[in-house]
Amino acid sequence: MRTYALTMTKPHEKLGLPLPLARQIAQHAYLGWYLAIWFLLFGLAITYIGFITASSAKGFQLRDAERRVERLGTESRQLEMQVASLSSIQAMTEQASKNGFVAVDAIQTINAAGHSYAFAR
């Protein structure tokens, strides 16, 4: 078992480094700062990419919603035009004549405020 452990290569030797990374950072303080700055820049870049991806997805959703609003506005205008054409006096007159109503020739009114009453004979 011991001979097997001695024959294993160490990770820093596989990478071709003379000392382990932690020992190199301890010996050279500026190397630690360089690594910290690189990790910070890498983290900021990943965050930036995440924000850009999220905002572009929201942009596509917003564009789809605007198209839907425009389409609904067009449909609304068409329905308003249809309602206006169906509720015109001419259309209602035609519909009434189809249902059997007859146009009135002379209109007689009674003044309800003048204390006039109609009695049955």
Side-chain angles (χ1 to χ4, degrees):
M1 178 92 164
R2 185 161 172 80
T3 57
Y4 181 69
L6 291 176
T7 59
M8 291 177 55
T9 57
K10 298 176 182 171
H12 69 276
E13 292 173 350
K14 282 187 177 181
L15 294 174
L17 300 173
L19 294 173
L21 188 61
R23 196 172 294 159
Q24 286 183 4
I25 292 173
Q27 287 180 355
H28 307 287
Y30 65 90
L31 187 61
W33 284 107
Y34 286 150
L35 286 175
I37 289 172
W38 278 108
F39 280 129
L40 180 67
L41 287 175
F42 182 72
L44 290 174
I46 295 297
T47 304
Y48 176 75
I49 290 170
F51 283 146
I52 293 298
T53 304
S55 66
S56 67
K58 294 292 181 184
F60 285 122
Q61 290 175 353
L62 181 64
R63 187 179 60 185
D64 290 342
E66 287 172 350
R67 285 182 183 168
R68 213 171 339 161
V69 165
E70 185 178 326
R71 188 180 69 242
L72 289 174
T74 304
E75 289 177 10
S76 173
R77 284 190 295 276
Q78 289 174 349
L79 289 174
E80 286 174 358
M81 291 297 293
Q82 185 178 5
V83 166
S85 68
L86 291 175
S87 64
S88 68
I89 298 294
Q90 183 181 5
M92 285 197 254
T93 305
E94 289 174 4
Q95 187 65 30
S97 65
K98 286 180 186 176
N99 289 336
F101 289 96
V102 179
V104 177
D105 291 334
I107 298 175
Q108 295 179 356
T109 59
I110 298 175
N111 186 2
H115 302 290
S116 303
Y117 301 100
F119 292 104
R121 290 186 188 187

